[in-house]
Amino acid sequence: MNRVPCVRVRPSEGEATRTELAGRELLDPSRKITVEDGWLYIPVIEPPSAFEVEYRSPPQRDRQTTPEDVLGFSPRYERIGDVALLDEDDPDRAAEIATALCESDLPIESVLNRASKVKGELRVRDWDVLAGDPITVHREYGMGFELDLSAVYFSPRLATERHRVIEQVGADERLLDMFAGVGPFVIPAAAKGATTVGVDLNSVAVDYLERNAERNDVAARVTAIEGDVRTIDYTGWADRLVMNLPHSANEFLETAVRLAGDECWIHYYDIQHEDDPFGPGEAAIRDVATEYDVTVEHEQVVRSYAPHELNVCLDVRLS
């Protein structure tokens, strides 16, 4: 049997990895995912960056009806839980794809089509519901996140980046997510034993954050706050701050410094030109955190955002 590239991950990371690879259109649909010696091997059509890859001979997948079988072409879509997300300008084409997705053997129950860009201070977008409903449960690195895609912002493409940050969290830490959404940073940090606070302006997101804390059995270590993070009374509390609001995180740096303890990590997300993706963020932090020694411990390119623009993260230690 021919050997093909396979991404090797632990089973607990399997669904998040499979979702990310599917979003990058790298999954090999003709081969089965296999488990051996405590590792999951996910066949891909070409070796992706930032993953461990081995060449193996996984068995052929049993033939199932795919959207391509119904349509005669391969539609572009993204999946969150059992919801497929389209970005089609032609409503007739969108409806045709939605029907094909639901008629295929894929585990898809609902189909939404983007009707607007992300907008407003709540960072949500409008959707046309073509089939089913927008409420689903997304699984990521062993955690389950219930969410209503019509009312909250969520990106499964950031699963690997979130996991990178959570791997740094200690059980005795106090973590505060300044723009927490439904809890993809807060919930897994609490699962590691950290005491966590998640803040968001979106009342629906905060409601789901509380539900997800219960769902994942970490409610005792999660405090959910609806409101503007600039008004909360947690001065000097945080050992670790997450600032995942890349278009305007710089506007909240004074608040971040107020919330930071004597020793604090900041995960600062930014979008900048590829010629200098990290410099502006570092300069902004240094300009505000004048009472601290500021050390940039790690610079991470998260993804391409637009032509010549990068979504990046700076892991910064304040002391």
Side-chain angles (χ1 to χ4, degrees), residues 31-239:
R31 304 281 184 167
K32 290 183 178 181
I33 296 173
T34 58
V35 180
E36 185 177 330
D37 297 330
W39 291 95
L40 202 67
Y41 295 92
I42 305 174
V44 291
I45 58 177
E46 62 182 52
S49 59
F51 287 101
E52 184 174 350
V53 174
E54 290 188 10
Y55 281 79
R56 301 176 65 84
S57 301
Q60 293 282 343
R61 184 179 295 277
D62 295 336
R63 189 71 175 99
Q64 294 179 312
T65 301
T66 68
E68 292 83 353
D69 294 331
V70 180
L71 292 167
F73 63 87
S74 299
R76 295 181 64 86
Y77 62 92
E78 184 176 21
R79 264 184 58 193
I80 298 180
D82 60 3
V83 177
L85 306 178
L86 308 181
D87 189 7
E88 293 289 340
D89 294 330
D90 184 337
D92 292 334
R93 179 181 169 89
E96 181 184 13
I97 293 172
T99 298
L101 289 168
C102 292
E103 290 181 355
S104 75
D105 290 325
L106 297 176
I108 291 175
E109 300 296 332
S110 304
V111 183
L112 311 181
N113 190 35
R114 289 180 175 89
S116 76
K117 296 181 179 180
V118 173
K119 60 183 181 179
E121 62 181 4
L122 300 186
R123 300 181 294 158
V124 297
R125 66 169 90 238
D126 296 328
W127 296 93
D128 292 328
V129 180
L130 306 180
D133 66 64
I135 298 175
T136 190
V137 176
H138 169 74
R139 300 204 61 82
E140 186 171 298
Y141 290 95
M143 303 282 108
F145 299 96
E146 183 181 1
L147 63 154
D148 181 344
L149 290 164
S150 69
V152 303
Y153 174 80
F154 188 85
S155 174
R157 298 180 181 181
L158 300 180
T160 301
E161 170 60 18
R162 288 190 283 262
H163 185 63
R164 183 189 71 83
V165 171
I166 296 305
E167 286 288 277
Q168 303 175 45
V169 175
D172 59 345
E173 285 190 9
R174 296 187 293 191
L175 178 146
L176 193 152
D177 188 342
M178 297 173 65
F179 319 102
V182 301
F185 282 102
V186 167
I187 302 299
K192 292 192 69 175
T195 301
T196 65
V197 174
V199 186
D200 206 283
L201 284 171
N202 186 337
S203 61
V204 178
V206 173
D207 181 45
Y208 277 108
L209 172 56
E210 292 176 332
R211 293 192 208 181
N212 290 327
E214 294 284 353
R215 169 184 289 273
N216 293 281
D217 298 321
V218 295
R221 292 189 295 277
V222 173
T223 299
I225 300 174
E226 177 192 344
D228 189 325
V229 69
R230 289 170 289 199
T231 67
I232 67 171
D233 187 19
Y234 277 78
T235 299
W237 183 85
D239 300 316

